[in-house]
Amino acid sequence: MSVFKVCACAILCAVFISTVGKDKGKSSYSFAMSALAGIMIMLASLEEALPVISYISDLGVGADLTLYMGILLRSLGAAFICEASAGVCRECGEAELASKVELFCKFEIVALCFPLFKNVLETARSLIG
Amino acid sequence: MDVALLIKVIGVALLVTVTHGILSRSGRDDQASLVSVAGALIIFVLLVSKIGDLVGTIRTVFGL
């Protein structure tokens, strides 16, 4: 039933925002309302994804790939939180700030994957001799 | 999925909107602006607590 709850919350929020409007003095409510609904839906989607994520990390433990699974999961988490923040910034009308957050997210993911690149290059170097 | 929180926020926002309308129409603009500021503060406090929840959950789930 959680899918119905999520859709009902999103529709309720959208109807409320369109009713209250984005007039002067009420715009803070519409931003806060949509940000709150968005954050709650993201929390609900994390709850749904939790069994899959724990299975993926268990797979890594079983196959001795904990480093790679850790990098994968951390990149996923960084992308998740940066997308949430960029969405909230865009909701406030700060599209430039949102694009800066997304740029930081890209660099963060590259930095998280850096040990992986090093491993691959060193493996290639050892193979070439 | 905390629907009660969402409905609480909707209730606060509707109440503040109605109070703001009534007060500004009866000429008490300063009280109307105080009410809307108070309502905005309440909603932002709830929002910040939920953002804290989200960040904590992401940290525990993804191991950041």
Side-chain angles (χ1 to χ4, degrees):
Chain A
M1 287 302 279
S2 64
V3 63
F4 295 114
K5 253 192 213 175
V6 164
C7 296
C9 279
I11 289 170
L12 185 68
C13 174
V15 164
F16 172 73
I17 288 170
S18 63
T19 311
V20 168
K22 289 192 184 339
D23 309 334
K24 190 186 84 165
K26 292 172 196 164
S27 61
S28 56
Y29 303 126
S30 48
F31 143 68
M33 198 61 226
S34 61
L36 190 66
I39 284 167
M40 283 166 57
I41 292 172
M42 287 191 107
L43 275 171
S45 51
L46 266 182
E47 262 180 55
E48 294 293 313
L50 194 56
V52 177
I53 291 166
S54 54
Y55 180 69
I56 289 173
S57 56
D58 289 343
L59 268 182
V61 166
D64 200 23
L65 291 170
T66 37
L67 174 70
Y68 307 123
M69 287 305 175
I71 287 172
L72 180 71
L73 289 175
R74 277 196 288 271
S75 314
L76 207 59
F80 201 73
I81 192 72
C82 286
E83 198 195 320
S85 317
V88 169
C89 293
R90 238 174 245 121
E91 199 61 45
C92 294
E94 301 289 327
E96 187 56 35
L97 202 56
S99 61
K100 295 285 186 297
V101 168
E102 283 171 351
L103 183 69
F104 174 77
C105 176
K106 287 170 191 158
F107 281 123
E108 174 74 17
I109 291 177
V110 167
L112 282 169
C113 296
F114 188 60
L116 210 60
F117 297 147
K118 270 172 64 174
N119 265 357
V120 166
L121 286 173
E122 275 158 21
T123 311
R125 195 188 294 175
S126 66
L127 283 173
I128 293 168
Chain B
M1 182 83 216
D2 201 6
V3 187
L5 180 67
L6 203 66
I7 294 182
K8 207 186 284 183
V9 168
I10 288 177
V12 166
L14 274 173
L15 187 68
V16 168
T17 309
V18 163
T19 315
H20 183 93
I22 292 172
L23 284 172
S24 54
R25 263 180 208 117
S26 65
R28 296 173 194 178
D29 286 330
D30 48 354
Q31 290 177 12
S33 55
L34 275 174
V35 162
S36 59
V37 162
L41 272 174
I42 292 169
I43 290 175
F44 280 127
V45 160
L46 289 169
L47 181 66
V48 161
S49 72
K50 264 302 172 188
I51 290 175
D53 276 350
L54 179 70
V55 169
T57 308
I58 288 179
R59 214 172 257 175
T60 46
V61 168
F62 293 107
L64 281 169

